Amino acid sequence: MPERRHSPRDKVIYGGTAEIAESGTSRDCVVRNISENGAHLEFKSAVGLPKDSLRLTIARKGRSFMAKIIWWRDNFVGVAFSPDHSYELPGSDLAERLRRSEKKKRQLQRRIKELIGES
């Protein structure tokens, strides 16, 4: 099956909150993997999931994204982030340092995988 993603996703387990525009309610979710362009979310149940878009807030990353729902199956949802609607959450310098550290960690993990694959 050909890869349709524009950027590689990193496996993570982040807590998130999805705000559903139609009803104005929010639901907790788990972010299973994430990239610059999208994410794979897991909800406790499929009840009340939106059909088109949501606002995803990931406190650990200090970010909030408007996201278009690309697919959903049961309680799993794949979303693509809107490049025009990404917001930094207010926070300290610690949040920025954590984001930079996580980015560097992902880069190093990818490089290790490349090196192992070359042996």
Side-chain angles (χ1 to χ4, degrees):
M1 184 162 143
E3 179 63 47
R4 295 179 291 173
R5 295 180 183 139
H6 298 287
S7 59
R9 289 198 177 177
D10 296 308
K11 290 184 180 181
V12 296
I13 299 180
Y14 293 152
T17 303
E19 295 176 39
I20 302 165
E22 298 94 38
S23 62
T25 62
S26 63
R27 299 206 36 215
D28 291 334
C29 63
V30 175
V31 180
R32 292 293 180 184
N33 64 43
I34 191 166
S35 73
E36 294 176 14
N37 302 319
H40 176 196
L41 311 176
E42 179 181 0
F43 292 88
K44 282 189 176 186
S45 69
V47 176
L49 289 181
K51 302 296 182 221
D52 55 358
S53 65
L54 54 84
R55 179 177 174 160
L56 175 65
T57 302
I58 306 171
R60 182 170 179 188
K61 291 191 68 65
R63 305 280 313 248
S64 182
F65 307 90
M66 285 304 296
K68 178 181 177 185
I69 295 176
I70 304 301
W71 61 266
W72 66 89
R73 184 177 56 248
D74 299 325
N75 56 325
F76 297 97
V77 176
V79 298
F81 299 142
S82 171
D84 302 332
H85 296 93
S86 174
Y87 307 97
E88 293 284 331
L89 298 176
S92 68
D93 178 47
L94 181 60
E96 176 59 29
R97 291 186 357 234
L98 178 60
R99 278 192 297 282
R100 285 194 310 260
S101 174
E102 288 176 345
K103 183 177 180 179
K104 185 166 184 131
K105 175 186 166 190
R106 289 190 304 269
Q107 291 170 340
L108 290 170
Q109 286 173 330
R110 285 188 198 113
R111 182 66 182 140
I112 289 169
K113 286 179 184 178
E114 289 173 9
L115 292 172
I116 290 173
E118 293 176 1
S119 346

